[in-house]
Amino acid sequence: MDTLTGLILRPELGNDYGDITALNNIAFGQSMEGRLVEALRRNPHFIKGLSLVAVIDGKLVGHILFFPILIKGEGKVFRSLALAPMSVLPEYQGKGIGSALVNLGLEEARADGFDSVIVLGHRDFYPRFGFVPASRFGISPPYEVPDEVFFAMELYPGSLQGVIGMVEYPPEFAEAEA
Ligand SMILES: CC(C)(COP(=O)(O)OP(=O)(O)OC[C@H]1O[C@@H](n2cnc3c(N)ncnc32)[C@H](O)[C@@H]1OP(=O)(O)O)[C@@H](O)C(=O)NCCC(=O)NCCS
């Protein structure tokens, strides 16, 4: 791993919006995730402190968003957070920037009173932070996805005990795909 001299991680600011969209477009090679971030930012549940950027020499090189979601069980609704999307500029990948964003995001999520995080993503990347298949807790995705890419993480030991239900994403997720 290269050293990350000068890496700054901080919450997004108003003048980062264009760069965040562009970064997502480049990292994913499509505009869906950039549109998703823009749409979620207009949703009243958006939490500025959980949209984090990585900056090196004044250049925005990484971004991660955690957005409030619900896990709906029989007669019970639980609050959680979706980690989505996250991106690092291709030439800066593999240097630990993505991991640093995840780790800071998990800390901020705890500080903001959340006790779990859900993510749909790369099977070899997320387990290193403590994510395990969500099915282990009885948490299911709202559409069919392979079990090994749909993860949940307890932010406190036991915090997902008894949290059984289906994740409900805000409508912006489906709309961004359209
Ligand atoms: C995923 C991503 C954010 C990781 O950022 P990063 O700064 O490269 O992450 P780190 O340097 O901290 O960690 C790199 C690890 O991520 C893994 N990784 C990156 N892309 C991956 C992929 N498509 N599938 C599985 N693992 C992946 C690398 O293999 C590497 O693993 P290693 O440490 O065992 O070698 C970045 O690769 C990216 O922007 N990818 C394109 C967009 C994307 O896929 N976002 C995530 C959606 S779930």
Side-chain angles (χ1 to χ4, degrees):
M1 187 189 292
D2 291 4
T3 49
L4 289 168
T5 320
L7 174 69
I8 293 171
L9 303 181
R10 60 162 174 77
E12 68 167 33
L13 298 172
N15 55 5
D16 295 323
Y17 297 173
D19 288 342
I20 291 173
T21 301
L23 160 65
N24 275 281
N25 292 347
I26 294 168
F28 284 95
Q30 58 180 31
S31 62
M32 187 181 93
E33 288 76 11
R35 281 204 312 276
L36 173 63
V37 175
E38 289 178 359
L40 289 174
R41 201 180 276 121
R42 293 191 291 270
N43 182 312
H45 296 294
F46 184 83
I47 300 170
K48 263 195 175 315
L50 292 178
S51 178
L52 302 168
V53 295
V55 178
I56 294 181
D57 290 338
K59 181 175 172 175
L60 197 144
V61 298
H63 172 252
I64 193 167
L65 177 63
F66 294 79
F67 196 89
I69 52 165
L70 298 176
I71 301 170
K72 290 193 166 174
E74 281 188 23
K76 279 194 180 168
V77 178
F78 307 92
R79 249 172 111 236
S80 186
L81 277 178
L83 187 178
M86 78 172 290
S87 54
V88 172
L89 278 182
E91 62 271 34
Y92 289 87
Q93 290 176 9
K95 299 174 192 293
I97 296 172
S99 298
L101 284 167
V102 173
N103 284 322
L104 178 61
L106 295 174
E107 263 176 51
E108 293 295 318
R110 267 187 214 101
D112 282 348
F114 290 91
D115 61 17
S116 68
V117 176
I118 303 290
V119 65
L120 170 63
H122 306 308
R123 80 186 72 186
D124 300 327
F125 184 58
Y126 293 101
R128 68 188 69 182
F129 305 101
F131 285 93
V132 297
S135 58
R136 214 175 280 180
F137 301 104
I139 298 170
S140 54
Y143 31 72
E144 229 175 273
V145 290
D147 190 54
E148 66 272 23
V149 298
F150 190 69
F151 297 103
M153 180 175 171
E154 296 182 322
L155 293 178
Y156 300 97
S159 58
L160 283 175
Q161 285 300 311
V163 177
I164 296 168
M166 185 180 283
V167 168
E168 183 179 282
Y169 290 105
E172 287 83 352
F173 279 79
E175 287 161 13
E177 280 184 46

mmCIF file of all heavy atoms in Angstrom, residues 57-100:
data_model
loop_
_atom_site.group_PDB
_atom_site.id
_atom_site.type_symbol
_atom_site.label_atom_id
_atom_site.label_comp_id
_atom_site.label_asym_id
_atom_site.label_seq_id
_atom_site.Cartn_x
_atom_site.Cartn_y
_atom_site.Cartn_z
ATOM 1 N N ASP A 57 -4.190 17.050 -1.782
ATOM 2 C CA ASP A 57 -3.696 18.248 -2.473
ATOM 3 C C ASP A 57 -4.841 19.063 -3.074
ATOM 4 O O ASP A 57 -4.765 19.516 -4.217
ATOM 5 C CB ASP A 57 -2.727 17.854 -3.610
ATOM 6 C CG ASP A 57 -1.428 17.325 -3.053
ATOM 7 O OD1 ASP A 57 -1.106 17.637 -1.889
ATOM 8 O OD2 ASP A 57 -0.750 16.572 -3.788
ATOM 9 N N GLY A 58 -5.914 19.183 -2.328
ATOM 10 C CA GLY A 58 -7.045 19.990 -2.792
ATOM 11 C C GLY A 58 -7.927 19.286 -3.810
ATOM 12 O O GLY A 58 -8.925 19.854 -4.264
ATOM 13 N N LYS A 59 -7.578 18.050 -4.188
ATOM 14 C CA LYS A 59 -8.363 17.343 -5.198
ATOM 15 C C LYS A 59 -9.255 16.295 -4.528
ATOM 16 O O LYS A 59 -8.773 15.504 -3.696
ATOM 17 C CB LYS A 59 -7.401 16.648 -6.167
ATOM 18 C CG LYS A 59 -8.067 15.890 -7.273
ATOM 19 C CD LYS A 59 -6.989 15.372 -8.222
ATOM 20 C CE LYS A 59 -7.630 14.444 -9.239
ATOM 21 N NZ LYS A 59 -6.702 14.001 -10.242
ATOM 22 N N LEU A 60 -10.522 16.297 -4.897
ATOM 23 C CA LEU A 60 -11.457 15.323 -4.314
ATOM 24 C C LEU A 60 -11.226 13.965 -4.994
ATOM 25 O O LEU A 60 -11.393 13.829 -6.202
ATOM 26 C CB LEU A 60 -12.881 15.815 -4.541
ATOM 27 C CG LEU A 60 -13.947 15.157 -3.666
ATOM 28 C CD1 LEU A 60 -14.999 16.175 -3.281
ATOM 29 C CD2 LEU A 60 -14.584 14.015 -4.407
ATOM 30 N N VAL A 61 -10.788 12.980 -4.211
ATOM 31 C CA VAL A 61 -10.406 11.683 -4.797
ATOM 32 C C VAL A 61 -11.298 10.533 -4.323
ATOM 33 O O VAL A 61 -11.222 9.433 -4.883
ATOM 34 C CB VAL A 61 -8.921 11.346 -4.504
ATOM 35 C CG1 VAL A 61 -8.006 12.398 -5.124
ATOM 36 C CG2 VAL A 61 -8.655 11.218 -3.005
ATOM 37 N N GLY A 62 -12.119 10.767 -3.299
ATOM 38 C CA GLY A 62 -12.970 9.687 -2.814
ATOM 39 C C GLY A 62 -14.223 10.237 -2.154
ATOM 40 O O GLY A 62 -14.254 11.395 -1.697
ATOM 41 N N HIS A 63 -15.253 9.397 -2.121
ATOM 42 C CA HIS A 63 -16.524 9.807 -1.500
ATOM 43 C C HIS A 63 -17.232 8.576 -0.972
ATOM 44 O O HIS A 63 -17.141 7.491 -1.553
ATOM 45 C CB HIS A 63 -17.415 10.504 -2.539
ATOM 46 C CG HIS A 63 -18.792 10.783 -2.022
ATOM 47 N ND1 HIS A 63 -19.910 10.094 -2.453
ATOM 48 C CD2 HIS A 63 -19.234 11.662 -1.082
ATOM 49 C CE1 HIS A 63 -20.973 10.548 -1.812
ATOM 50 N NE2 HIS A 63 -20.594 11.502 -0.982
ATOM 51 N N ILE A 64 -17.935 8.753 0.134
ATOM 52 C CA ILE A 64 -18.780 7.677 0.672
ATOM 53 C C ILE A 64 -20.033 8.313 1.260
ATOM 54 O O ILE A 64 -19.966 9.402 1.844
ATOM 55 C CB ILE A 64 -18.024 6.855 1.752
ATOM 56 C CG1 ILE A 64 -18.763 5.568 2.091
ATOM 57 C CG2 ILE A 64 -17.780 7.676 3.026
ATOM 58 C CD1 ILE A 64 -17.916 4.591 2.912
ATOM 59 N N LEU A 65 -21.147 7.637 1.068
ATOM 60 C CA LEU A 65 -22.406 8.131 1.623
ATOM 61 C C LEU A 65 -23.061 7.035 2.458
ATOM 62 O O LEU A 65 -23.120 5.871 2.043
ATOM 63 C CB LEU A 65 -23.357 8.542 0.484
ATOM 64 C CG LEU A 65 -24.747 9.005 0.922
ATOM 65 C CD1 LEU A 65 -24.665 10.264 1.779
ATOM 66 C CD2 LEU A 65 -25.637 9.267 -0.292
ATOM 67 N N PHE A 66 -23.554 7.421 3.618
ATOM 68 C CA PHE A 66 -24.383 6.556 4.462
ATOM 69 C C PHE A 66 -25.741 7.241 4.546
ATOM 70 O O PHE A 66 -25.812 8.406 4.921
ATOM 71 C CB PHE A 66 -23.794 6.430 5.869
ATOM 72 C CG PHE A 66 -22.464 5.722 5.937
ATOM 73 C CD1 PHE A 66 -21.284 6.378 5.597
ATOM 74 C CD2 PHE A 66 -22.381 4.399 6.361
ATOM 75 C CE1 PHE A 66 -20.060 5.735 5.671
ATOM 76 C CE2 PHE A 66 -21.166 3.749 6.440
ATOM 77 C CZ PHE A 66 -20.000 4.414 6.094
ATOM 78 N N PHE A 67 -26.791 6.506 4.202
ATOM 79 C CA PHE A 67 -28.121 7.123 4.177
ATOM 80 C C PHE A 67 -29.094 6.318 5.046
ATOM 81 O O PHE A 67 -29.113 5.080 4.975
ATOM 82 C CB PHE A 67 -28.641 7.200 2.728
ATOM 83 C CG PHE A 67 -29.797 8.134 2.592
ATOM 84 C CD1 PHE A 67 -29.584 9.485 2.330
ATOM 85 C CD2 PHE A 67 -31.096 7.686 2.777
ATOM 86 C CE1 PHE A 67 -30.650 10.365 2.255
ATOM 87 C CE2 PHE A 67 -32.171 8.563 2.708
ATOM 88 C CZ PHE A 67 -31.947 9.894 2.438
ATOM 89 N N PRO A 68 -29.919 7.015 5.856
ATOM 90 C CA PRO A 68 -30.855 6.296 6.744
ATOM 91 C C PRO A 68 -31.845 5.427 5.967
ATOM 92 O O PRO A 68 -32.400 5.864 4.960
ATOM 93 C CB PRO A 68 -31.592 7.430 7.468
ATOM 94 C CG PRO A 68 -30.691 8.604 7.373
ATOM 95 C CD PRO A 68 -29.987 8.465 6.053
ATOM 96 N N ILE A 69 -32.029 4.231 6.441
ATOM 97 C CA ILE A 69 -33.009 3.310 5.853
ATOM 98 C C ILE A 69 -33.796 2.653 6.992
ATOM 99 O O ILE A 69 -33.443 2.823 8.169
ATOM 100 C CB ILE A 69 -32.345 2.197 5.013
ATOM 101 C CG1 ILE A 69 -31.255 1.492 5.831
ATOM 102 C CG2 ILE A 69 -31.814 2.723 3.704
ATOM 103 C CD1 ILE A 69 -30.809 0.184 5.237
ATOM 104 N N LEU A 70 -34.802 1.888 6.599
ATOM 105 C CA LEU A 70 -35.580 1.146 7.592
ATOM 106 C C LEU A 70 -35.452 -0.341 7.319
ATOM 107 O O LEU A 70 -35.309 -0.770 6.168
ATOM 108 C CB LEU A 70 -37.056 1.543 7.504
ATOM 109 C CG LEU A 70 -37.363 3.014 7.786
ATOM 110 C CD1 LEU A 70 -38.856 3.284 7.554
ATOM 111 C CD2 LEU A 70 -36.966 3.394 9.215
ATOM 112 N N ILE A 71 -35.498 -1.119 8.382
ATOM 113 C CA ILE A 71 -35.626 -2.569 8.260
ATOM 114 C C ILE A 71 -37.001 -2.891 8.834
ATOM 115 O O ILE A 71 -37.273 -2.619 10.018
ATOM 116 C CB ILE A 71 -34.518 -3.305 9.039
ATOM 117 C CG1 ILE A 71 -33.135 -2.888 8.510
ATOM 118 C CG2 ILE A 71 -34.710 -4.819 8.932
ATOM 119 C CD1 ILE A 71 -31.962 -3.366 9.370
ATOM 120 N N LYS A 72 -37.871 -3.396 7.985
ATOM 121 C CA LYS A 72 -39.261 -3.610 8.414
ATOM 122 C C LYS A 72 -39.533 -5.080 8.692
ATOM 123 O O LYS A 72 -39.392 -5.928 7.789
ATOM 124 C CB LYS A 72 -40.219 -3.087 7.339
ATOM 125 C CG LYS A 72 -40.205 -1.566 7.266
ATOM 126 C CD LYS A 72 -41.354 -1.036 6.443
ATOM 127 C CE LYS A 72 -41.512 0.461 6.670
ATOM 128 N NZ LYS A 72 -42.524 1.049 5.781
ATOM 129 N N GLY A 73 -39.877 -5.361 9.950
ATOM 130 C CA GLY A 73 -40.223 -6.716 10.340
ATOM 131 C C GLY A 73 -41.716 -6.803 10.612
ATOM 132 O O GLY A 73 -42.455 -5.844 10.353
ATOM 133 N N GLU A 74 -42.126 -7.935 11.154
ATOM 134 C CA GLU A 74 -43.551 -8.083 11.432
ATOM 135 C C GLU A 74 -43.931 -7.231 12.631
ATOM 136 O O GLU A 74 -43.543 -7.521 13.757
ATOM 137 C CB GLU A 74 -43.881 -9.547 11.688
ATOM 138 C CG GLU A 74 -43.994 -10.309 10.386
ATOM 139 C CD GLU A 74 -44.511 -11.721 10.566
ATOM 140 O OE1 GLU A 74 -45.179 -11.997 11.586
ATOM 141 O OE2 GLU A 74 -44.226 -12.537 9.684
ATOM 142 N N GLY A 75 -44.618 -6.137 12.365
ATOM 143 C CA GLY A 75 -45.054 -5.254 13.439
ATOM 144 C C GLY A 75 -43.943 -4.430 14.065
ATOM 145 O O GLY A 75 -44.157 -3.754 15.078
ATOM 146 N N LYS A 76 -42.754 -4.488 13.493
ATOM 147 C CA LYS A 76 -41.632 -3.731 14.062
ATOM 148 C C LYS A 76 -40.826 -3.079 12.953
ATOM 149 O O LYS A 76 -40.631 -3.670 11.885
ATOM 150 C CB LYS A 76 -40.694 -4.673 14.818
ATOM 151 C CG LYS A 76 -41.142 -5.017 16.203
ATOM 152 C CD LYS A 76 -39.995 -5.652 16.950
ATOM 153 C CE LYS A 76 -40.420 -6.022 18.373
ATOM 154 N NZ LYS A 76 -39.442 -6.879 19.030
ATOM 155 N N VAL A 77 -40.362 -1.863 13.214
ATOM 156 C CA VAL A 77 -39.530 -1.165 12.237
ATOM 157 C C VAL A 77 -38.238 -0.754 12.934
ATOM 158 O O VAL A 77 -38.265 -0.214 14.047
ATOM 159 C CB VAL A 77 -40.265 0.083 11.695
ATOM 160 C CG1 VAL A 77 -39.371 0.837 10.722
ATOM 161 C CG2 VAL A 77 -41.561 -0.316 10.995
ATOM 162 N N PHE A 78 -37.116 -1.034 12.281
ATOM 163 C CA PHE A 78 -35.816 -0.710 12.866
ATOM 164 C C PHE A 78 -35.115 0.304 11.976
ATOM 165 O O PHE A 78 -35.178 0.224 10.756
ATOM 166 C CB PHE A 78 -34.953 -1.974 12.967
ATOM 167 C CG PHE A 78 -35.628 -3.109 13.670
ATOM 168 C CD1 PHE A 78 -36.361 -4.058 12.961
ATOM 169 C CD2 PHE A 78 -35.550 -3.225 15.051
ATOM 170 C CE1 PHE A 78 -36.991 -5.115 13.604
ATOM 171 C CE2 PHE A 78 -36.179 -4.286 15.707
ATOM 172 C CZ PHE A 78 -36.905 -5.235 14.981
ATOM 173 N N ARG A 79 -34.398 1.230 12.614
ATOM 174 C CA ARG A 79 -33.613 2.225 11.876
ATOM 175 C C ARG A 79 -32.244 1.647 11.569
ATOM 176 O O ARG A 79 -31.622 1.015 12.415
ATOM 177 C CB ARG A 79 -33.375 3.422 12.794
ATOM 178 C CG ARG A 79 -34.091 4.675 12.423
ATOM 179 C CD ARG A 79 -33.897 5.669 13.556
ATOM 180 N NE ARG A 79 -33.062 6.767 13.157
ATOM 181 C CZ ARG A 79 -31.950 7.138 13.761
ATOM 182 N NH1 ARG A 79 -31.490 6.481 14.794
ATOM 183 N NH2 ARG A 79 -31.285 8.191 13.340
ATOM 184 N N SER A 80 -31.746 1.906 10.380
ATOM 185 C CA SER A 80 -30.383 1.508 10.059
ATOM 186 C C SER A 80 -29.828 2.507 9.043
ATOM 187 O O SER A 80 -30.436 3.559 8.804
ATOM 188 C CB SER A 80 -30.374 0.081 9.507
ATOM 189 O OG SER A 80 -29.060 -0.383 9.323
ATOM 190 N N LEU A 81 -28.680 2.169 8.502
ATOM 191 C CA LEU A 81 -28.037 3.037 7.507
ATOM 192 C C LEU A 81 -27.621 2.182 6.329
ATOM 193 O O LEU A 81 -27.116 1.069 6.535
ATOM 194 C CB LEU A 81 -26.755 3.640 8.070
ATOM 195 C CG LEU A 81 -26.785 4.871 8.935
ATOM 196 C CD1 LEU A 81 -25.350 5.192 9.364
ATOM 197 C CD2 LEU A 81 -27.388 6.074 8.210
ATOM 198 N N ALA A 82 -27.786 2.712 5.116
ATOM 199 C CA ALA A 82 -27.228 2.037 3.943
ATOM 200 C C ALA A 82 -25.916 2.719 3.583
ATOM 201 O O ALA A 82 -25.853 3.954 3.521
ATOM 202 C CB ALA A 82 -28.187 2.144 2.765
ATOM 203 N N LEU A 83 -24.880 1.922 3.397
ATOM 204 C CA LEU A 83 -23.621 2.464 2.864
ATOM 205 C C LEU A 83 -23.760 2.389 1.344
ATOM 206 O O LEU A 83 -23.747 1.306 0.768
ATOM 207 C CB LEU A 83 -22.454 1.598 3.353
ATOM 208 C CG LEU A 83 -21.014 2.037 3.074
ATOM 209 C CD1 LEU A 83 -20.036 1.056 3.699
ATOM 210 C CD2 LEU A 83 -20.692 2.261 1.632
ATOM 211 N N ALA A 84 -23.942 3.513 0.685
ATOM 212 C CA ALA A 84 -24.091 3.523 -0.777
ATOM 213 C C ALA A 84 -24.271 4.944 -1.285
ATOM 214 O O ALA A 84 -25.057 5.683 -0.697
ATOM 215 C CB ALA A 84 -25.317 2.710 -1.215
ATOM 216 N N PRO A 85 -23.587 5.302 -2.328
ATOM 217 C CA PRO A 85 -22.501 4.549 -2.933
ATOM 218 C C PRO A 85 -21.159 4.958 -2.328
ATOM 219 O O PRO A 85 -21.113 5.858 -1.483
ATOM 220 C CB PRO A 85 -22.573 5.003 -4.398
ATOM 221 C CG PRO A 85 -23.097 6.409 -4.337
ATOM 222 C CD PRO A 85 -23.955 6.491 -3.112
ATOM 223 N N MET A 86 -20.095 4.288 -2.725
ATOM 224 C CA MET A 86 -18.757 4.782 -2.382
ATOM 225 C C MET A 86 -17.876 4.671 -3.614
ATOM 226 O O MET A 86 -18.051 3.778 -4.444
ATOM 227 C CB MET A 86 -18.139 4.042 -1.197
ATOM 228 C CG MET A 86 -17.562 2.701 -1.475
ATOM 229 S SD MET A 86 -16.670 2.049 -0.042
ATOM 230 C CE MET A 86 -15.255 3.115 0.015
ATOM 231 N N SER A 87 -16.941 5.594 -3.730
ATOM 232 C CA SER A 87 -16.112 5.628 -4.934
ATOM 233 C C SER A 87 -14.772 6.289 -4.651
ATOM 234 O O SER A 87 -14.675 7.199 -3.811
ATOM 235 C CB SER A 87 -16.841 6.394 -6.042
ATOM 236 O OG SER A 87 -17.228 7.661 -5.566
ATOM 237 N N VAL A 88 -13.768 5.793 -5.347
ATOM 238 C CA VAL A 88 -12.431 6.389 -5.295
ATOM 239 C C VAL A 88 -11.958 6.522 -6.745
ATOM 240 O O VAL A 88 -12.183 5.603 -7.560
ATOM 241 C CB VAL A 88 -11.466 5.492 -4.470
ATOM 242 C CG1 VAL A 88 -10.026 5.985 -4.576
ATOM 243 C CG2 VAL A 88 -11.896 5.457 -2.996
ATOM 244 N N LEU A 89 -11.341 7.624 -7.088
ATOM 245 C CA LEU A 89 -10.846 7.808 -8.462
ATOM 246 C C LEU A 89 -9.922 6.653 -8.825
ATOM 247 O O LEU A 89 -9.072 6.261 -8.008
ATOM 248 C CB LEU A 89 -10.049 9.115 -8.569
ATOM 249 C CG LEU A 89 -10.801 10.421 -8.745
ATOM 250 C CD1 LEU A 89 -9.801 11.563 -8.887
ATOM 251 C CD2 LEU A 89 -11.761 10.375 -9.929
ATOM 252 N N PRO A 90 -10.061 6.097 -10.034
ATOM 253 C CA PRO A 90 -9.282 4.903 -10.394
ATOM 254 C C PRO A 90 -7.787 5.007 -10.079
ATOM 255 O O PRO A 90 -7.199 4.070 -9.530
ATOM 256 C CB PRO A 90 -9.521 4.786 -11.904
ATOM 257 C CG PRO A 90 -10.874 5.391 -12.108
ATOM 258 C CD PRO A 90 -10.992 6.501 -11.090
ATOM 259 N N GLU A 91 -7.183 6.149 -10.365
ATOM 260 C CA GLU A 91 -5.719 6.246 -10.149
ATOM 261 C C GLU A 91 -5.345 6.336 -8.668
ATOM 262 O O GLU A 91 -4.169 6.276 -8.320
ATOM 263 C CB GLU A 91 -5.115 7.405 -10.957
ATOM 264 C CG GLU A 91 -5.625 8.795 -10.615
ATOM 265 C CD GLU A 91 -6.861 9.225 -11.421
ATOM 266 O OE1 GLU A 91 -7.709 8.361 -11.746
ATOM 267 O OE2 GLU A 91 -6.979 10.439 -11.702
ATOM 268 N N TYR A 92 -6.339 6.472 -7.795
ATOM 269 C CA TYR A 92 -6.072 6.532 -6.354
ATOM 270 C C TYR A 92 -6.559 5.270 -5.636
ATOM 271 O O TYR A 92 -6.487 5.181 -4.416
ATOM 272 C CB TYR A 92 -6.748 7.765 -5.741
ATOM 273 C CG TYR A 92 -6.085 9.066 -6.143
ATOM 274 C CD1 TYR A 92 -6.444 9.730 -7.302
ATOM 275 C CD2 TYR A 92 -5.077 9.621 -5.342
ATOM 276 C CE1 TYR A 92 -5.826 10.919 -7.676
ATOM 277 C CE2 TYR A 92 -4.455 10.803 -5.704
ATOM 278 C CZ TYR A 92 -4.836 11.440 -6.877
ATOM 279 O OH TYR A 92 -4.213 12.607 -7.225
ATOM 280 N N GLN A 93 -7.073 4.306 -6.393
ATOM 281 C CA GLN A 93 -7.591 3.080 -5.759
ATOM 282 C C GLN A 93 -6.451 2.194 -5.277
ATOM 283 O O GLN A 93 -5.330 2.278 -5.773
ATOM 284 C CB GLN A 93 -8.483 2.307 -6.752
ATOM 285 C CG GLN A 93 -9.792 3.014 -7.030
ATOM 286 C CD GLN A 93 -10.653 2.329 -8.084
ATOM 287 O OE1 GLN A 93 -10.367 1.214 -8.525
ATOM 288 N NE2 GLN A 93 -11.718 3.003 -8.505
ATOM 289 N N GLY A 94 -6.759 1.346 -4.310
ATOM 290 C CA GLY A 94 -5.766 0.391 -3.811
ATOM 291 C C GLY A 94 -4.745 1.001 -2.876
ATOM 292 O O GLY A 94 -3.717 0.395 -2.580
ATOM 293 N N LYS A 95 -5.012 2.213 -2.402
ATOM 294 C CA LYS A 95 -4.067 2.880 -1.488
ATOM 295 C C LYS A 95 -4.646 3.018 -0.086
ATOM 296 O O LYS A 95 -4.075 3.696 0.764
ATOM 297 C CB LYS A 95 -3.724 4.277 -2.020
ATOM 298 C CG LYS A 95 -3.049 4.305 -3.379
ATOM 299 C CD LYS A 95 -2.904 5.759 -3.844
ATOM 300 C CE LYS A 95 -2.513 5.875 -5.307
ATOM 301 N NZ LYS A 95 -1.157 5.368 -5.580
ATOM 302 N N GLY A 96 -5.810 2.455 0.138
ATOM 303 C CA GLY A 96 -6.404 2.514 1.467
ATOM 304 C C GLY A 96 -7.394 3.647 1.662
ATOM 305 O O GLY A 96 -7.935 3.820 2.764
ATOM 306 N N ILE A 97 -7.662 4.415 0.609
ATOM 307 C CA ILE A 97 -8.578 5.557 0.762
ATOM 308 C C ILE A 97 -10.006 5.079 1.017
ATOM 309 O O ILE A 97 -10.696 5.577 1.915
ATOM 310 C CB ILE A 97 -8.505 6.477 -0.483
ATOM 311 C CG1 ILE A 97 -7.101 7.074 -0.595
ATOM 312 C CG2 ILE A 97 -9.574 7.576 -0.405
ATOM 313 C CD1 ILE A 97 -6.838 7.836 -1.874
ATOM 314 N N GLY A 98 -10.429 4.080 0.247
ATOM 315 C CA GLY A 98 -11.779 3.532 0.452
ATOM 316 C C GLY A 98 -11.941 3.001 1.865
ATOM 317 O O GLY A 98 -12.937 3.284 2.540
ATOM 318 N N SER A 99 -10.943 2.263 2.335
ATOM 319 C CA SER A 99 -11.020 1.707 3.694
ATOM 320 C C SER A 99 -11.067 2.818 4.739
ATOM 321 O O SER A 99 -11.800 2.717 5.731
ATOM 322 C CB SER A 99 -9.810 0.808 3.969
ATOM 323 O OG SER A 99 -9.804 -0.264 3.070
ATOM 324 N N ALA A 100 -10.277 3.862 4.529
ATOM 325 C CA ALA A 100 -10.269 4.976 5.491
ATOM 326 C C ALA A 100 -11.652 5.635 5.533
ATOM 327 O O ALA A 100 -12.148 6.003 6.605
ATOM 328 C CB ALA A 100 -9.191 5.994 5.101
#
